[in-house]
mmCIF file of all heavy atoms in Angstrom:
data_model
loop_
_atom_site.group_PDB
_atom_site.id
_atom_site.type_symbol
_atom_site.label_atom_id
_atom_site.label_comp_id
_atom_site.label_asym_id
_atom_site.label_seq_id
_atom_site.Cartn_x
_atom_site.Cartn_y
_atom_site.Cartn_z
ATOM 1 N N PHE B 28 56.673 -97.829 49.858
ATOM 2 C CA PHE B 28 55.272 -97.673 50.216
ATOM 3 C C PHE B 28 55.056 -96.313 50.889
ATOM 4 O O PHE B 28 54.158 -95.552 50.533
ATOM 5 C CB PHE B 28 54.874 -98.812 51.162
ATOM 6 C CG PHE B 28 53.430 -98.776 51.581
ATOM 7 C CD1 PHE B 28 52.423 -99.053 50.663
ATOM 8 C CD2 PHE B 28 53.083 -98.456 52.883
ATOM 9 C CE1 PHE B 28 51.094 -99.029 51.045
ATOM 10 C CE2 PHE B 28 51.757 -98.422 53.269
ATOM 11 C CZ PHE B 28 50.765 -98.708 52.353
ATOM 12 N N LEU B 29 55.942 -95.994 51.835
ATOM 13 C CA LEU B 29 55.821 -94.725 52.555
ATOM 14 C C LEU B 29 56.019 -93.547 51.601
ATOM 15 O O LEU B 29 55.321 -92.539 51.690
ATOM 16 C CB LEU B 29 56.857 -94.656 53.676
ATOM 17 C CG LEU B 29 56.577 -95.607 54.856
ATOM 18 C CD1 LEU B 29 57.662 -95.481 55.910
ATOM 19 C CD2 LEU B 29 55.210 -95.329 55.460
ATOM 20 N N LEU B 30 56.955 -93.731 50.674
ATOM 21 C CA LEU B 30 57.224 -92.653 49.724
ATOM 22 C C LEU B 30 55.964 -92.317 48.927
ATOM 23 O O LEU B 30 55.661 -91.142 48.694
ATOM 24 C CB LEU B 30 58.334 -93.106 48.769
ATOM 25 C CG LEU B 30 59.163 -91.994 48.141
ATOM 26 C CD1 LEU B 30 59.859 -91.183 49.221
ATOM 27 C CD2 LEU B 30 60.180 -92.573 47.177
ATOM 28 N N GLY B 31 55.230 -93.354 48.551
ATOM 29 C CA GLY B 31 54.007 -93.130 47.806
ATOM 30 C C GLY B 31 52.956 -92.393 48.616
ATOM 31 O O GLY B 31 52.075 -91.730 48.079
ATOM 32 N N LEU B 32 53.056 -92.518 49.946
ATOM 33 C CA LEU B 32 52.055 -91.876 50.812
ATOM 34 C C LEU B 32 52.338 -90.396 51.044
ATOM 35 O O LEU B 32 51.456 -89.648 51.454
ATOM 36 C CB LEU B 32 52.008 -92.598 52.162
ATOM 37 C CG LEU B 32 51.217 -93.914 52.212
ATOM 38 C CD1 LEU B 32 51.256 -94.497 53.606
ATOM 39 C CD2 LEU B 32 49.786 -93.696 51.764
ATOM 40 N N VAL B 33 53.592 -89.995 50.822
ATOM 41 C CA VAL B 33 54.007 -88.644 51.204
ATOM 42 C C VAL B 33 53.085 -87.575 50.627
ATOM 43 O O VAL B 33 52.571 -86.715 51.341
ATOM 44 C CB VAL B 33 55.467 -88.386 50.758
ATOM 45 C CG1 VAL B 33 55.801 -86.906 50.837
ATOM 46 C CG2 VAL B 33 56.420 -89.187 51.621
ATOM 47 N N LEU B 34 52.829 -87.670 49.313
ATOM 48 C CA LEU B 34 52.074 -86.612 48.644
ATOM 49 C C LEU B 34 50.633 -86.487 49.158
ATOM 50 O O LEU B 34 50.238 -85.408 49.628
ATOM 51 C CB LEU B 34 52.108 -86.854 47.132
ATOM 52 C CG LEU B 34 52.209 -85.603 46.267
ATOM 53 C CD1 LEU B 34 53.364 -84.719 46.672
ATOM 54 C CD2 LEU B 34 52.325 -86.027 44.804
ATOM 55 N N PRO B 35 49.846 -87.570 49.115
ATOM 56 C CA PRO B 35 48.459 -87.424 49.576
ATOM 57 C C PRO B 35 48.369 -87.037 51.053
ATOM 58 O O PRO B 35 47.537 -86.188 51.426
ATOM 59 C CB PRO B 35 47.843 -88.803 49.317
ATOM 60 C CG PRO B 35 48.971 -89.727 49.119
ATOM 61 C CD PRO B 35 50.105 -88.916 48.588
ATOM 62 N N VAL B 36 49.224 -87.628 51.893
ATOM 63 C CA VAL B 36 49.135 -87.344 53.327
ATOM 64 C C VAL B 36 49.495 -85.880 53.611
ATOM 65 O O VAL B 36 48.803 -85.182 54.357
ATOM 66 C CB VAL B 36 50.053 -88.299 54.128
ATOM 67 C CG1 VAL B 36 50.201 -87.813 55.569
ATOM 68 C CG2 VAL B 36 49.478 -89.709 54.104
ATOM 69 N N THR B 37 50.553 -85.391 52.981
ATOM 70 C CA THR B 37 50.937 -83.992 53.179
ATOM 71 C C THR B 37 49.811 -83.064 52.743
ATOM 72 O O THR B 37 49.439 -82.129 53.474
ATOM 73 C CB THR B 37 52.196 -83.661 52.346
ATOM 74 O OG1 THR B 37 53.127 -84.716 52.509
ATOM 75 C CG2 THR B 37 52.814 -82.354 52.801
ATOM 76 N N ALA B 38 49.262 -83.348 51.556
ATOM 77 C CA ALA B 38 48.177 -82.500 51.060
ATOM 78 C C ALA B 38 47.007 -82.513 52.032
ATOM 79 O O ALA B 38 46.453 -81.452 52.381
ATOM 80 C CB ALA B 38 47.733 -82.983 49.673
ATOM 81 N N GLY B 39 46.666 -83.709 52.518
ATOM 82 C CA GLY B 39 45.563 -83.826 53.465
ATOM 83 C C GLY B 39 45.827 -83.050 54.737
ATOM 84 O O GLY B 39 44.970 -82.307 55.231
ATOM 85 N N LEU B 40 47.042 -83.193 55.264
ATOM 86 C CA LEU B 40 47.390 -82.511 56.511
ATOM 87 C C LEU B 40 47.366 -80.993 56.330
ATOM 88 O O LEU B 40 46.850 -80.257 57.179
ATOM 89 C CB LEU B 40 48.778 -82.963 56.997
ATOM 90 C CG LEU B 40 48.828 -84.381 57.576
ATOM 91 C CD1 LEU B 40 50.257 -84.752 57.974
ATOM 92 C CD2 LEU B 40 47.881 -84.510 58.780
ATOM 93 N N LEU B 41 47.916 -80.528 55.195
ATOM 94 C CA LEU B 41 47.919 -79.081 54.930
ATOM 95 C C LEU B 41 46.491 -78.546 54.885
ATOM 96 O O LEU B 41 46.170 -77.510 55.472
ATOM 97 C CB LEU B 41 48.633 -78.791 53.602
ATOM 98 C CG LEU B 41 50.162 -78.825 53.659
ATOM 99 C CD1 LEU B 41 50.744 -78.564 52.256
ATOM 100 C CD2 LEU B 41 50.684 -77.796 54.643
ATOM 101 N N TYR B 42 45.642 -79.300 54.193
ATOM 102 C CA TYR B 42 44.258 -78.844 54.054
ATOM 103 C C TYR B 42 43.555 -78.824 55.416
ATOM 104 O O TYR B 42 42.845 -77.881 55.762
ATOM 105 C CB TYR B 42 43.507 -79.744 53.075
ATOM 106 C CG TYR B 42 42.144 -79.192 52.714
ATOM 107 C CD1 TYR B 42 42.045 -78.019 51.974
ATOM 108 C CD2 TYR B 42 40.981 -79.830 53.134
ATOM 109 C CE1 TYR B 42 40.812 -77.500 51.652
ATOM 110 C CE2 TYR B 42 39.736 -79.314 52.819
ATOM 111 C CZ TYR B 42 39.654 -78.157 52.069
ATOM 112 O OH TYR B 42 38.435 -77.627 51.758
ATOM 113 N N GLU B 43 43.828 -79.892 56.172
ATOM 114 C CA GLU B 43 43.247 -79.983 57.518
ATOM 115 C C GLU B 43 43.681 -78.778 58.353
ATOM 116 O O GLU B 43 42.872 -78.128 59.027
ATOM 117 C CB GLU B 43 43.703 -81.294 58.174
ATOM 118 C CG GLU B 43 43.103 -81.565 59.547
ATOM 119 C CD GLU B 43 41.678 -82.134 59.479
ATOM 120 O OE1 GLU B 43 41.427 -82.966 58.589
ATOM 121 O OE2 GLU B 43 40.841 -81.719 60.292
ATOM 122 N N ALA B 44 44.981 -78.474 58.275
ATOM 123 C CA ALA B 44 45.517 -77.349 59.052
ATOM 124 C C ALA B 44 44.877 -76.031 58.612
ATOM 125 O O ALA B 44 44.472 -75.203 59.440
ATOM 126 C CB ALA B 44 47.033 -77.280 58.887
#
Side-chain angles (χ1 to χ4, degrees):
Chain B
F28 181 70
L29 289 179
L30 206 60
L32 281 180
V33 166
L34 217 53
V36 167
T37 315
L40 287 178
L41 282 178
Y42 189 67
E43 184 80 39

